[in-house]
Amino acid sequence: MLPSIQDNFPSTPGKVKMDRNNYFGRVTSRWHSTASARLLGCSALLLAFALVVLFRVSSSSDLGDGGYFSHSDVHWAFKPTRLWEKKVRQSCLPRREDNPMVVLVTGAAGFVGTHVSLALKKRGDGVVGIDNFNSYYEVSLKRARQELLAKHGIFVIDADINNAFLLKTVFELVQITHVMHLAAQAGVRYAMENPGSYVQSNIAGLVNIFEICKAANPQPAIVWASSSSVYGLNTKVPFSELDRTDQPASLYAATKKAGEEIAHTYNHIYGLSITGLRFFTVYGPWGRPDMAYFSFTRDILKGKPINIYQGPNNKDLARDFTYIDDIVKGCVASLDTAEKSTGSGGKKTGPAQLRIFNLGNTSPVTVPTLVDILEKYLNVKAKREIVKMPRNGDVPFTHANISAAQTQLQYKPETNLETGLKKFVKWYLSYYGDNTPHESLVAW
Ligand SMILES: O=C(O)[C@H]1O[C@H](OP(=O)(O)OP(=O)(O)OC[C@H]2O[C@@H](n3ccc(=O)[nH]c3=O)[C@H](O)[C@@H]2O)[C@H](O)[C@@H](O)[C@H]1O
């Protein structure tokens, strides 16, 4: 039996996985030599496979946190312990009485996931997270976010969104009213290095979440993260939800666009209430180290040169950088205004809400200006290298039209890039503190 694509890729990066996939590729090509070799190969593979599963199942009981399997396992398996069940139940307990939600936040140890989970918990909703803690960027940062969440009474399940059995167990244990689906393979340029991880997280993982939600009784309402990148090569500004989104410039964008179409299907067939949010280059404290503002900060402090991309005709690139607190307000408002799903027992009983909103800042800033601001708050001059924008999925600019979110969510971004980066730098220095080689950092 050959493993399926789902078995071969983790939800997010998969250097190890890619190797394994190549290994299976090599093995299968050899199978074609003779019938006996094929039979032998098949039995050996089956035996090895059975042994791996047996080994994993027997060792799972040792895991006090619920016997989860990490994303690198061949087969998903899961054995909840009492302690694990208790943690999930406690985390989901609301502390307010006026119509509280119980929210499953996927990608809870991610940047946006952490902030949204905290906001919901702080106002008294029940929150339980799930995250696979993959190594796309430093795992220690994700673990630190997990610790922060734990301090606020939020339990983050260490598992992959493709683990259907585990998710079903969660839904059986507690009544999840809303799913805030933020787990994804992010990053525009990394898609050329590891395309499979985008398919596995942003498509297979999304479908798995929808499948679980569709079968749940009652079905939860879902709010999920799409991306400004779906506008791709669109040149009409500002980008409106009504503009064309059929020209993605990266596989990342294509998987987010595919997600929007898949959302339509699940809404149409099963009556799931679904809201997609197109985030515009979100930044802030506890952010993602792979993003430009974060990696620039790191390199400026180390005295390393930074590459500043330039578009055609030496035009500066620009982004509608959006501060995390504004994004959190948009996410929470989307949850608050989400109507109930209409399906029952996996069948639709009436039309359900289907929405898409831009969540941007509405004032694009060029990348060199972003660097100017960082220099000011870091009090260090950047070593700028101006290079031609590589053809790896980038787009020259983004700019959100947010009128739909303003009207329907009362969304109103309040933090400009200058203020937001100041807060980011402050956090960065307090988090990485002593590791920074420069001394005069907090002069401002
Ligand atoms: O809105 C989104 O949907 C996406 O936002 C984010 O993508 P981007 O807008 O591309 O952000 P980011 O990488 O910070 O690059 C910012 C700018 O710096 C330029 N850039 C980048 C790197 C570099 O070395 N030099 C450079 O000039 C670069 O050319 C760009 O102009 C998320 O990562 C993505 O996951 C998705 O959520």
Side-chain angles (χ1 to χ4, degrees):
M1 190 174 85
L2 272 180
S4 69
I5 185 170
Q6 252 169 281
D7 299 324
N8 280 335
F9 292 103
S11 279
T12 19
K15 286 169 200 149
V16 177
K17 289 297 179 180
M18 294 297 285
D19 289 341
R20 182 189 286 160
N21 202 33
N22 291 342
Y23 169 74
F24 278 116
R26 287 198 302 275
V27 171
T28 48
S29 67
R30 276 189 240 124
W31 278 358
H32 296 290
S33 54
T34 61
S36 57
R38 202 177 301 146
L39 199 65
L40 202 66
C42 231
S43 333
L45 203 62
L46 265 173
L47 189 66
F49 195 65
L51 281 173
V52 167
V53 171
L54 264 175
F55 171 73
R56 299 294 190 188
V57 170
S58 63
S59 59
S60 74
S61 53
D62 298 328
L63 299 168
D65 233 10
Y68 65 83
F69 281 165
S70 78
H71 57 84
S72 60
D73 290 286
V74 173
H75 261 260
W76 307 116
F78 171 71
K79 195 170 149 220
T81 60
R82 285 229 181 101
L83 177 63
W84 181 88
E85 290 182 351
K86 194 174 156 201
K87 283 182 182 177
V88 172
R89 279 206 197 91
Q90 271 179 351
S91 195
C92 285
L93 264 187
R95 280 184 296 101
R96 66 188 173 104
E97 275 160 23
D98 52 329
N99 214 9
M101 300 190 232
V102 179
V103 189
L104 170 68
V105 180
T106 72
F111 171 33
V112 181
T114 296
H115 286 276
V116 172
S117 300
L118 286 173
L120 292 169
K121 193 72 176 179
K122 277 181 183 166
R123 70 174 201 174
D125 291 313
V127 181
V128 64
I130 176 168
D131 202 294
N132 71 2
F133 293 91
N134 69 67
S135 55
Y136 170 58
Y137 61 80
E138 56 194 65
V139 178
S140 59
L141 178 59
K142 298 179 182 186
R143 292 292 176 196
R145 296 187 190 124
Q146 182 186 30
E147 262 177 48
L148 178 71
L149 293 172
K151 275 189 198 138
H152 288 83
I154 301 166
F155 177 48
V156 181
I157 302 165
D158 199 327
D160 195 288
I161 52 166
N162 282 290
N163 190 336
F165 184 76
L166 179 139
L167 285 169
K168 269 188 219 156
T169 309
V170 173
F171 272 80
E172 279 161 14
L173 204 59
V174 280
Q175 191 176 320
I176 301 288
T177 61
H178 295 74
V179 173
M180 183 81 226
H181 176 48
L182 297 166
Q185 175 58 59
V188 175
R189 291 163 283 279
Y190 181 66
M192 287 182 72
E193 274 176 58
N194 190 356
S197 66
Y198 290 78
V199 176
Q200 182 63 356
S201 257
N202 305 356
I203 300 196
L206 180 73
V207 170
N208 197 42
I209 292 287
F210 286 156
E211 280 290 318
I212 299 292
C213 293
K214 139 212 146 180
N217 207 353
Q219 294 173 332
I222 301 155
V223 177
W224 73 285
S226 181
S227 159
S228 72
S229 66
V230 298
Y231 291 108
L233 305 179
N234 179 34
T235 49
K236 184 180 155 289
V237 280
F239 300 162
S240 146
E241 291 88 345
L242 303 173
D243 291 345
R244 63 186 292 193
T245 51
D246 59 352
Q247 302 170 290
S250 64
L251 183 70
Y252 168 72
T255 58
K256 286 295 180 178
K257 173 64 184 166
E260 292 186 358
E261 309 298 347
I262 292 166
H264 179 274
T265 311
Y266 275 83
N267 168 271
H268 173 68
I269 304 179
Y270 301 109
L272 281 177
S273 161
I274 305 177
T275 303
L277 302 175
R278 292 176 180 166
F279 294 157
F280 282 70
T281 315
V282 190
Y283 72 98
W286 294 100
R288 273 173 38 210
D290 63 314
M291 288 182 69
Y293 74 96
F294 202 123
S295 63
F296 285 172
T297 300
R298 182 161 281 178
D299 289 343
I300 291 170
L301 288 171
K302 283 187 184 154
K304 280 172 67 178
I306 55 168
N307 283 337
I308 298 180
Y309 301 149
Q310 251 183 2
N313 306 320
N314 301 334
K315 240 183 141 209
D316 289 333
L317 305 184
R319 287 289 181 275
D320 199 357
F321 296 101
T322 310
Y323 190 63
I324 183 65
D325 290 2
D326 291 323
I327 289 292
V328 169
K329 282 183 201 151
C331 290
V332 173
S334 300
L335 289 166
D336 284 342
T337 54
E339 291 171 7
K340 283 190 171 23
S341 292
T342 64
S344 173
K347 284 198 186 113
K348 178 177 172 180
T349 59
Q353 192 180 38
L354 182 68
R355 304 181 294 176
I356 287 277
F357 293 112
N358 284 342
L359 292 186
N361 190 52
T362 69
S363 45
V365 176
T366 66
V367 177
T369 306
L370 165 95
V371 177
D372 292 344
I373 303 172
L374 286 176
E375 284 179 332
K376 176 176 160 189
Y377 290 120
L378 293 169
N379 204 17
V380 181
K381 268 261 162 278
K383 291 183 183 147
R384 302 180 188 220
E385 308 250 344
I386 310 296
V387 297
K388 229 175 119 201
M389 179 174 98
R391 290 173 67 88
N392 56 7
D394 244 321
V395 292
F397 61 86
T398 61
H399 184 182
N401 171 331
I402 55 160
S403 44
Q406 267 170 332
T407 320
Q408 296 178 54
L409 306 177
Q410 275 69 57
Y411 170 74
K412 192 170 161 284
E414 282 167 355
T415 308
N416 63 26
L417 189 61
E418 172 103 26
T419 312
L421 282 181
K422 185 175 173 179
K423 290 184 182 180
F424 165 72
V425 168
K426 197 170 179 183
W427 168 81
Y428 185 96
L429 296 176
S430 68
Y431 184 76
Y432 291 103
D434 297 339
N435 298 333
T436 54
H438 297 271
E439 282 156 20
S440 53
L441 297 171
V442 275
W444 40 279

